[in-house]
Amino acid sequence: METVRPVFAPQLYIPNGVRDVDFYINGLGAVELRRFSNDDGTIHVSELSINGAIFHLHEETRNPASFSPLRHQGSTVTIGLFVDDVDAYMARAVAAGAKVTSPVQDYDYGYRQGDVMDPFGHVWMFESRI
């Protein structure tokens, strides 16, 4: 029997009716691996990867515990992404439509970090060790 190692692959909820998720490609450098569309052409699921780390965008479901952050004007999670150049990732994300929620700075615990909110309300923290 093959041993399967746990791999973290978050599923981020987006509002129903979304057709364009180019922010993740242009703003984060993600590659779309697959897409499952609804009959009307809207996105049901988009599977993306950033440097081999997979995550999914999924339209909201009927599960009341799983929803797009836009529905409640906030997110319950921050997605940390370790990168080589925090400032470059922040600038790229902002140019693609993200809003800065915490500017880039160095912290005394040894990280350089900055946060943005993407167009669907998800909070991303770009970080690197200093």
Side-chain angles (χ1 to χ4, degrees):
M1 176 179 254
E2 180 182 348
T3 302
V4 177
R5 292 179 34 188
V7 176
F8 185 72
Q11 187 159 280
L12 309 178
Y13 286 93
I14 57 177
N16 295 334
V18 170
R19 294 176 184 275
D20 181 6
V21 293
D22 283 350
F23 166 80
Y24 298 98
I25 295 162
N26 298 326
L28 302 180
V31 174
E32 187 172 48
L33 303 175
R34 330 188 263 171
R35 179 181 287 196
F36 300 93
S37 297
N38 297 312
D39 291 340
D40 65 357
T42 58
I43 296 171
H44 179 66
V45 175
S46 174
E47 182 177 77
L48 299 120
S49 173
I50 300 173
N51 292 329
I54 293 175
F55 66 103
H56 297 93
L57 302 176
H58 195 296
E59 70 179 338
E60 287 184 299
T61 63
R62 293 184 181 158
N63 179 347
S66 300
F67 49 83
S68 164
L70 292 176
R71 186 189 314 169
H72 295 287
Q73 304 301 308
S75 180
T76 62
V77 66
T78 296
I79 304 149
L81 187 63
F82 280 89
V83 298
D84 290 337
D85 187 339
V86 172
D87 297 277
Y89 266 81
M90 287 286 286
R92 182 178 183 172
V94 169
K99 294 182 176 148
V100 174
T101 56
S102 179
V104 175
Q105 61 183 342
D106 294 339
Y107 290 91
D108 58 2
Y109 48 81
Y111 286 148
R112 182 167 182 75
Q113 297 171 318
D115 296 4
V116 297
M117 181 178 290
D118 75 26
F120 300 105
H122 300 286
V123 178
W124 294 80
M125 177 191 296
F126 303 120
E127 52 192 327
S128 64
R129 289 193 176 143
I130 50 176

